[in-house]
Amino acid sequence: MKKRYLFSFLSLGLISTSFGQTDCDQGRYATDVYSTIDITSNILYGNNTSNTGASTDLELDFYEPNGDTSTARPLVIWAHGGSFITGSKTDGDVVELSNRLAKKGFVCASINYRLGIAFPFNQTNSTKAVLRGVQDMKAAIRFFYKDRKTADTYKIDTTQIFIAGSSAGGLISFHLAYLDKECELEGYIAASDVTALGGLEGNSGNPGYSTKIKGAIGLAGALGSYGWIEVGDVPFCATHGTADGTVPYNRGTVNVVGVGIMTIDGSRMMHEQAETIGLPNKFYSHYGAGHVPHASSAATMDTTEWFIRDFLVEQVGCSETALQPANAPLQASTLYQLAYCGLGIETMNMDAIKSIFPNPSSDRMTIELNDASNVEQIELIDLAGRTQRLNIPISSSTIIEKGNLVSGTYILKISYVDGSISTNRISFQ
């Protein structure tokens, strides 16, 4: 079913027929160049089994400017909120933001994904719910890649696909973007459960097509661990209320229907990690606001729209003055020791290290050891758990050269002959 939304219309003569710099010059993506938005509802994009074992069709609503002749359009795929229990693709905030972005010349898809958390409400069952949402959104991404290569009904520029979500949808967006190794789920869910669900990619539809994205947007979103954000990952845009009692602004407990489930890293922690490793990101704090304030405040909705607009305009390559610059985070955020994908600590032996300097360093770093004869191996591991340097020469003053290392934070892991291990965080600029 197709609906039409009317707004103040500007001349269609401003719109070019293909994506490029001309679009930017004519105001597309930065301003409201369209007034009539067409919505095609209930498009089937996949199917999978729900948490109760029921076969579930997956549908989306597609938003596009009426009369648009562009043949390669940036796409934003939205996931709604609702604690993975309630909500739908027609929730007011995702509908409003989809319409607002479509007026600027983007196209949007709002998806339904599988809802439901099995009892009891605990970390394992909640993680399964997030993973099902990620799998369904990946099927939606593949749906548009498939369409581009076949019927090309939706005229998507697949190099410009963004994912976005509010609350639970924000968790889906961020976990899709940054949870890319099953070992990162150690401590959250058993590996056998991940396999039973279909792995990180899932079986929700359109197999064989890409799930590559250009960037992620999360409104009141969070991530299981900040360390899943790695050098080279896609950029993100995040907004969050500093007094959010449902999804933590910083590191804290996520609550489902008032029940504390597990500790996760909110947008503030994600921003800290991104800044540490040099990953492009935009973060806006709604000072004093609670959960998803954009859904209940017209002024905050405007702020949120402008902030997302600024992120997207930059990502598609336009040069425009920001409508809503980022503000300063309200709270300090401490990056804790990571413990997954081989980053776990067995036994600490901190007394063996005299000093590490300079840290951070732009070229080389010295590790002074109290007793080099007790050291068996020194290695350097990135925050994704990948070994970057192995069998570093050992001496009382061990030198580590930056060389071809990407600027960012690393874990210095020292293994001792007595079986103990010490880890230290170091950074190269």
Side-chain angles (χ1 to χ4, degrees):
M1 182 175 85
K2 187 171 285 190
K3 300 179 183 177
R4 185 166 292 176
Y5 286 72
L6 298 176
F7 304 92
S8 60
F9 183 68
L10 298 181
S11 171
L12 285 178
L14 293 175
I15 308 303
S16 69
T17 59
S18 62
F19 178 74
Q21 186 58 46
T22 301
D23 295 321
C24 300
D25 293 341
Q26 295 176 342
R28 185 167 183 155
Y29 313 123
T31 59
D32 293 353
V33 292
Y34 286 99
S35 65
T36 306
I37 306 305
D38 290 340
I39 304 177
T40 306
S41 301
N42 302 325
I43 300 168
L44 182 68
Y45 74 87
N47 176 279
N48 210 331
T49 303
S50 73
N51 73 304
T52 62
S55 176
T56 304
D57 283 341
L58 303 170
E59 297 178 333
L60 61 83
D61 295 344
F62 187 73
Y63 297 70
E64 61 183 325
N66 176 258
D68 185 14
T69 58
S70 175
T71 59
R73 304 179 293 186
L75 168 69
V76 181
I77 304 176
W78 284 96
H80 62 82
S83 299
F84 297 97
I85 298 174
T86 63
S88 81
K89 57 186 172 62
T90 58
D91 280 4
D93 60 336
V94 294
V95 169
E96 180 69 17
L97 287 166
S98 293
N99 274 297
R100 291 188 183 205
L101 291 177
K103 287 196 296 179
K104 292 174 171 53
F106 296 94
V107 293
C108 294
S110 178
I111 68 169
N112 273 345
Y113 54 91
R114 287 170 291 165
L115 299 177
I117 303 177
F119 288 102
F121 286 172
N122 58 22
Q123 179 170 283
T124 295
N125 288 331
S126 297
T127 301
K128 289 180 180 179
V130 176
L131 187 54
R132 283 191 290 268
V134 168
Q135 293 171 339
D136 293 350
M137 184 174 263
K138 285 187 175 182
I141 297 170
R142 291 193 294 264
F143 173 82
F144 287 105
Y145 271 96
K146 179 180 179 179
D147 174 74
R148 184 64 168 176
K149 289 182 177 294
T150 54
D152 198 20
T153 300
Y154 303 103
K155 303 295 187 292
I156 304 302
D157 180 350
T158 52
T159 69
Q160 302 285 347
I161 294 179
F162 302 86
I163 54 173
S166 177
S167 187
L171 270 73
I172 290 174
S173 176
F174 286 150
H175 282 81
L176 191 156
Y178 304 117
L179 174 62
D180 57 5
K181 293 179 289 297
E182 291 188 12
C183 63
E184 291 173 332
L185 288 171
E186 292 171 2
Y188 293 89
I189 185 175
S192 58
D193 287 336
V194 178
T195 300
L197 287 170
L200 298 183
E201 290 300 307
N203 304 303
S204 294
N206 314 303
Y209 290 90
S210 176
T211 56
K212 185 177 180 180
I213 59 171
K214 182 71 175 294
I217 300 167
L219 313 179
L223 196 58
S225 173
Y226 78 84
W228 300 346
I229 302 174
E230 307 164 12
V231 173
D233 277 343
V234 297
F236 69 84
C237 169
T239 70
H240 215 126
T242 59
D244 194 330
T246 301
V247 178
Y249 170 75
N250 210 319
R251 180 164 173 78
T253 301
V254 63
N255 291 281
V256 176
V257 295
V259 178
I261 300 299
M262 59 182 174
T263 300
I264 60 175
D265 292 336
S267 307
R268 174 68 184 93
M269 286 288 290
M270 295 177 58
H271 170 68
E272 188 72 14
Q273 166 68 352
E275 293 294 291
T276 299
I277 66 174
L279 183 74
N281 73 102
K282 289 186 179 296
F283 178 47
Y284 189 86
S285 299
H286 297 297
Y287 297 143
H291 192 52
V292 290
H294 66 278
S296 57
S297 164
T300 307
M301 175 61 81
D302 288 343
T303 298
T304 302
E305 175 206 342
W306 299 334
F307 197 67
I308 294 171
R309 170 267 194 196
D310 293 345
F311 173 74
L312 291 174
V313 163
E314 182 178 292
Q315 291 302 313
V316 300
C318 300
S319 298
E320 297 285 346
T321 302
L323 296 179
Q324 184 58 65
N327 56 6
L330 184 63
Q331 305 167 10
S333 190
T334 302
L335 300 181
Y336 53 86
Q337 174 65 54
L338 301 174
Y340 57 82
C341 295
L343 292 180
I345 303 172
E346 297 174 12
T347 305
M348 297 299 292
N349 190 345
M350 302 302 293
D351 292 340
I353 299 176
K354 184 185 299 182
S355 64
I356 301 176
F357 65 92
N359 187 16
S361 171
S362 60
D363 52 5
R364 64 173 58 191
M365 193 174 298
T366 300
I367 298 19
E368 290 195 336
L369 303 171
N370 286 319
D371 184 4
S373 65
N374 189 39
V375 175
E376 184 175 57
Q377 180 174 269
I378 300 177
E379 58 186 303
L380 203 60
I381 305 170
D382 66 21
L383 295 182
R386 299 171 295 217
T387 298
Q388 297 295 330
R389 298 277 177 83
L390 185 63
N391 297 322
I392 296 171
I394 300 167
S395 70
S396 58
S397 293
T398 296
I399 303 295
I400 298 180
E401 301 279 356
K402 178 182 179 182
N404 61 356
L405 291 173
V406 175
S407 296
T409 300
Y410 296 86
I411 302 298
L412 179 71
K413 180 179 178 182
I414 302 179
S415 303
Y416 302 92
V417 294
D418 62 3
S420 62
I421 291 173
S422 68
T423 60
N424 288 265
R425 184 180 298 276
I426 65 172
S427 298
F428 282 106
Q429 298 173 332

